[in-house]
Amino acid sequence: MLVDAIQRLGVDYHFQEEIEAILRRHYVAATTCVDGYTYYTLHNLSLFFRLLRQHGFCIPADIFNNFKGKDGTFEGKLKQDISGLMELYEAAQLGIEGEDILDEAAKFSSQIVGNRLKHPYHKSIARFSAKKYIRDLQDINGWEKTLKELAKLDYYVAKTAHQQELTQISMWDYAATDILPKSWKMCYKALLDTTNEIGSKIYEKYGYNPINSLKSTWASLCEAFLVEAKWFQIGHLPISNEYLENGKVSSGVHVVLVHLFFLLGINGKMGGAFQVDDISELISSVAVILRLWDDFGSAKDEQQDGNDGSYIECYMKENPGSTIEIAREHVVDMISSEWKRLNKECFRLNQNSSMSSFIKASLNLARMVPLMYSYDDNQQLPVLEEYVNSSLFHDTFLEHHPILDQE
């Protein structure tokens, strides 16, 4: 419970070694003992499963069979255990393809807890839900006050860092590049200088300069933009798979994560054992999640009137009998499946501790997506706006926020 609280408050990066030692001790105790899972409550076993899977420990999903009846379904008496069901739903978010029992667990628990878990922990930004969690945190074990003080201090340190980063991004004031249109000059010069600066810093810290890989990611992004521009110009609507393959690149996810891969020194720390190609599946899953959420139809760009194409539009063209509701349901299923693939890749890569920071950052990018596309009826983003304001400007860590609490 302490590890869970530390993670939910977003301060776990201060205690990575201690958390690893605690979870490893619990893992060894449970897996070396006969009937090691028998005496766990639903809440504790679900919490145990979620935490250990998050940190790369091999925990089989069939441990939840202990809570099934003779008919092979989850026992009806569990419906009275609200806290256990809420934690079971959280645990089910760590499932991978083929783990039907976790799909059953998610369906069973969601029927009872409903909207209480609109944003499960595994698919949410910790700082987004920390404010509500810290108010609900009970001082059961005596460490609630200390954790609350630490979380508040950490929040203000992070806010200061965000403000400094924002200031640096706004010190982009460069001379013109003559061969480009006036509106492009500053952007292109800033891009070149920033990318070269990143390459130089990586070289200084890790002894190699990945500038060619960094340039390649930007080139592929621009090429994907050009493909979409051509489709738009000629009024061509591609098949859904073709659209999504290009859309994964135009999402920009690979640019962000490839830069991050080198900035964290993954290649150097592991003696070249891990290359960019080794994270391609992870990048693909995050990109699909972003692209499908973007195209989900929460709002349309006023400048394009929806004519820029979307996966839903492509899908409905290929399936003439489908309605918009059917298409949206199909996209929801695709996002769910992609999260399972992402979980699998994170679990695989998490076997090496050097990848933990990169994995967490990749997950956080996927977790940010619903915030970025949670439009209201006025095509505004009140949740994202409140989150950004609280991260950059407002001293409101422990105050009541109706919008965030509602979400």
Side-chain angles (χ1 to χ4, degrees):
M1 291 178 67
L2 175 60
V3 170
D4 184 41
I6 289 173
Q7 289 190 169
R8 285 180 177 272
L9 293 173
V11 296
D12 50 304
Y13 67 97
H14 293 295
F15 309 104
Q16 291 183 359
E17 294 182 2
E18 292 85 350
I19 289 174
E20 179 75 14
I22 290 171
L23 296 181
R24 184 170 296 279
R25 186 166 67 248
H26 280 275
Y27 174 75
V28 171
T31 55
T32 57
C33 176
V34 178
D35 297 329
Y37 305 111
T38 304
Y39 303 104
Y40 279 86
T41 64
L42 177 62
H43 177 277
N44 289 348
L45 185 63
S46 300
L47 179 59
F48 172 87
F49 176 87
R50 175 169 62 84
L51 291 177
L52 269 72
R53 273 223 171 170
Q54 284 175 346
H55 288 264
F57 292 94
C58 187
I59 301 295
D62 60 12
I63 62 174
F64 292 106
N65 281 326
N66 292 335
F67 296 97
K68 285 188 170 184
K70 293 181 180 179
D71 61 354
T73 63
F74 283 97
E75 297 176 340
K77 63 181 181 181
L78 296 176
K79 294 180 180 180
Q80 308 302 318
D81 185 4
I82 299 301
S83 65
L85 288 174
M86 291 178 69
E87 197 55 60
L88 178 63
Y89 184 81
E90 295 277 11
Q93 308 307 308
L94 275 294
I96 61 177
E97 291 178 292
E99 292 184 324
D100 295 338
I101 189 171
L102 293 184
D103 293 333
E104 295 170 25
K107 182 178 181 180
F108 176 76
S109 55
S110 64
Q111 291 172 346
I112 311 302
V113 298
N115 289 330
R116 298 189 190 194
L117 289 170
K118 187 175 181 180
H119 294 285
Y121 170 77
H122 181 60
K123 297 179 180 178
S124 301
I125 297 292
R127 292 190 188 277
F128 172 71
S129 55
K131 295 180 181 181
K132 184 176 186 301
Y133 178 77
I134 202 171
R135 288 192 297 272
D136 296 338
L137 183 62
Q138 301 297 317
D139 194 10
I140 300 174
N141 297 295
W143 32 256
E144 183 263 359
K145 182 178 179 181
T146 303
L147 269 187
K148 185 178 289 189
E149 291 175 352
L150 173 61
K152 187 173 182 179
L153 288 171
D154 192 77
Y155 164 78
Y156 289 123
V157 170
K159 187 179 74 168
T160 300
H162 293 327
Q163 290 172 339
Q164 292 173 346
E165 290 167 352
L166 188 62
T167 301
Q168 292 174 0
I169 293 173
S170 63
M171 297 172 180
W172 283 2
D173 186 13
Y174 298 95
T177 304
D178 294 337
I179 62 172
L180 292 174
K182 184 177 181 180
S183 59
W184 292 16
K185 292 178 180 179
M186 184 180 71
C187 295
Y188 184 67
K189 186 65 163 59
L191 176 61
L192 287 179
D193 288 358
T194 301
T195 305
N196 285 326
E197 182 182 357
I198 290 173
S200 297
K201 287 184 176 180
I202 294 171
Y203 178 78
E204 292 173 5
K205 189 169 184 178
Y206 302 112
Y208 63 91
N209 190 338
I211 190 64
N212 289 335
S213 294
L214 301 184
K215 287 182 177 179
S216 178
T217 62
W218 284 109
S220 60
L221 177 64
C222 292
E223 289 173 359
F225 286 159
L226 288 173
V227 169
E228 291 180 350
K230 181 178 179 181
W231 289 341
F232 178 67
Q233 183 182 29
I234 65 176
H236 171 65
L237 190 65
I239 61 173
S240 58
N241 287 341
E242 181 185 10
Y243 171 84
L244 190 57
E245 283 301 309
N246 190 75
K248 288 191 296 185
V249 182
S250 67
S251 71
V253 167
H254 74 296
V255 174
V256 174
L257 293 184
V258 168
H259 279 65
L260 180 64
F261 177 84
F262 289 112
L263 282 167
L264 291 174
I266 304 297
N267 185 271
K269 289 177 183 177
M270 304 183 67
F274 264 88
Q275 304 292 334
V276 172
D277 288 345
D278 296 308
I279 59 171
S280 60
E281 291 299 317
L282 181 147
I283 291 175
S284 176
S285 290
V286 177
V288 169
I289 291 170
L290 190 151
R291 175 52 64 206
L292 291 178
W293 261 103
D294 185 11
D295 291 349
F296 196 63
S298 297
K300 293 181 179 180
D301 188 321
E302 298 89 342
Q303 303 300 319
Q304 297 170 331
D305 297 322
N307 294 323
D308 57 327
S310 71
Y311 182 86
I312 289 179
E313 190 178 357
C314 296
Y315 178 82
M316 292 185 68
K317 180 184 177 182
E318 292 178 41
N319 301 270
S322 62
T323 63
I324 184 67
E325 289 77 17
I326 292 175
R328 288 169 66 87
E329 184 176 342
H330 173 69
V331 170
V332 169
D333 291 339
M334 289 183 67
I335 293 173
S336 177
S337 296
E338 210 58 50
W339 263 105
K340 292 180 180 180
R341 295 188 184 97
L342 179 58
N343 287 339
K344 183 177 181 180
E345 278 302 294
C346 289
F347 184 78
R348 179 181 70 84
L349 295 172
N350 226 343
Q351 304 303 308
N352 192 298
S353 59
S354 298
M355 293 292 292
S356 60
S357 295
F358 177 79
I359 291 170
K360 185 173 182 179
S362 301
L363 282 170
N364 281 341
L365 179 52
R367 291 162 176 160
M368 275 297 297
V369 171
L371 286 181
M372 294 190 292
Y373 297 107
S374 294
Y375 289 91
D376 62 13
D377 294 337
N378 297 318
Q379 296 189 356
Q380 302 296 314
L381 294 166
V383 180
L384 180 60
E385 181 179 355
E386 180 62 37
Y387 178 73
V388 171
N389 284 335
S390 64
S391 298
L392 289 172
F393 308 116
H394 298 163
D395 294 333
T396 54
F397 186 64
L398 297 179
E399 293 182 10
H400 178 65
H401 289 274
I403 294 178
L404 293 184
D405 289 349
Q406 181 180 1
E407 289 299 314

